[in-house]
Amino acid sequence: MLTSIKELFKIGPGPSSSHTIGPYNAALDFKQSIENSATSFKAILYGSLALTGRGHRTDYVIKTVLGKDTKIDFDINTTTEHPNTMKLIAYNNDKVIKEETYVSIGGGTIKKIDEKDPQEQYTYPFNSFTEIRQAFEKSKKNKIYDFVKEYEGSDLKDFLVDIFNKMQEVIKAGLEKEGFVAGELKVKRIAKELYEEASKCCDYSEKRELYISAYAYAVSESNADNSIVVTAPTCGAAGVLPAVLYYYYNNLSASMDDIINALCIAGLIGITVKQNATISGAVGGCQAEIGTATSMAAAAICVLNKLDFSYIEYAAEVGMEHQLGLTCDPVLGYVAIPCIERNAYSALKAYDSYMFAKYLIPHRKNAVTLDEVIQAMKETGNDLIKDYKETSLGGLAKSHKIHRL
């Protein structure tokens, strides 16, 4: 069964939902559980959290909750079942008064190491996208929002309006900023310049691509700078879906109802992937983050263009299929190279996936289902060696030298 889309779209600090929002939430949960009885804290980060924690600023967000004098240990030698594992320890003077181990499972969601997901957290009685599609078609609903609201509750619209408004806020702020992000990498912000180029461009297709790219850059550059973003489905892939939604709303005058419908289908795809595979780069590689985001955005564009479920599924499947095997290889652990550019490129791929669906579906039925691609993504992620799963040990993170910048 599937959880609420409200658990997918979260507002929180970048650059990584698994490495900043998750640890931040874990630290909050831990601190609240000890009722101010501690005099000091220690955090031990394992696996991916240890290998990329400094670049992702995991230590920083933990200290914002537990205190600036919190001791942070980066343990890269201990093997844990989940790569995003952290232990928090509270002391009263030198005496340990409590310790707890948390796992950051993706998208900012956390759980204690021995905790199972309680049954009441599930919102939908479905296990796959095929079941969602069949239930929607059987419901005879005209709008995906009306279908989703039956499971999510009457406050769904307000929630999604708030989520989209935050996406817009992040893009608008990102389009105004100049300077550099990502610490010692010193990656130059270019969202503002791309937007200005789009405004001057006369070729329609180039104009569209420049606008979408500028919006994706605006989010991803802000994310790399530890700004507040919306997980879609993660911080590392937070630029893809907002870019296409913003383009349709601000450049093509889509209605807010259209945007809400699009967010609903994107959310359904995101929670389906999260349940049946993973949205964590540390578990499945970047295909789990940016592949899912591309799939979500491609489906959203189909909804914005009033296409039915056969087109939606095709576009979502194409969006993920051609990201299979994509590694998570952040240079020096920063969510900047190749992450910022990858968000913009994937936003364009989402649009291309919609175009494929629009013009190919009338001529043939797609042979591969979205559920099959999600399963393939899971198996591919399992087969990737850990160096290519958010460790900064492989790919560009290994071959790219800091002195080249």
Side-chain angles (χ1 to χ4, degrees), residues 82-125:
H82 193 286
N84 290 333
T85 300
M86 59 184 289
K87 180 184 288 186
L88 299 178
I89 307 169
Y91 299 88
N92 189 304
N93 296 318
D94 293 328
K95 181 182 178 182
V96 175
I97 57 175
K98 184 171 185 178
E99 63 178 59
E100 195 77 70
T101 301
Y102 293 87
V103 175
S104 182
I105 62 176
T109 301
I110 60 166
K111 71 173 185 176
K112 296 173 184 176
I113 192 67
D114 56 353
E115 182 181 51
K116 292 184 178 180
D117 296 331
Q119 197 72 12
E120 59 266 22
Q121 286 187 357
Y122 293 111
T123 301
Y124 298 90

Side-chain angles (χ1 to χ4, degrees), residues 146-200:
D146 293 330
F147 172 76
V148 172
K149 187 175 73 169
E150 287 192 0
Y151 300 94
E152 295 281 355
S154 58
D155 63 339
L156 176 64
K157 184 173 183 178
D158 289 341
F159 171 79
L160 292 177
V161 169
D162 288 344
I163 287 297
F164 181 59
N165 284 339
K166 173 54 70 173
M167 289 177 172
Q168 292 197 91
E169 180 184 318
V170 174
I171 290 175
K172 289 175 182 177
L175 291 175
E176 293 295 323
K177 291 182 179 179
E178 299 176 312
F180 299 85
V181 298
E184 59 192 298
L185 286 181
K186 297 188 183 302
V187 176
K188 184 179 184 294
R189 286 179 176 269
I190 61 168
K192 182 177 181 180
E193 294 171 352
L194 281 176
Y195 182 77
E196 291 171 351
E197 289 290 341
S199 301
K200 296 183 292 185

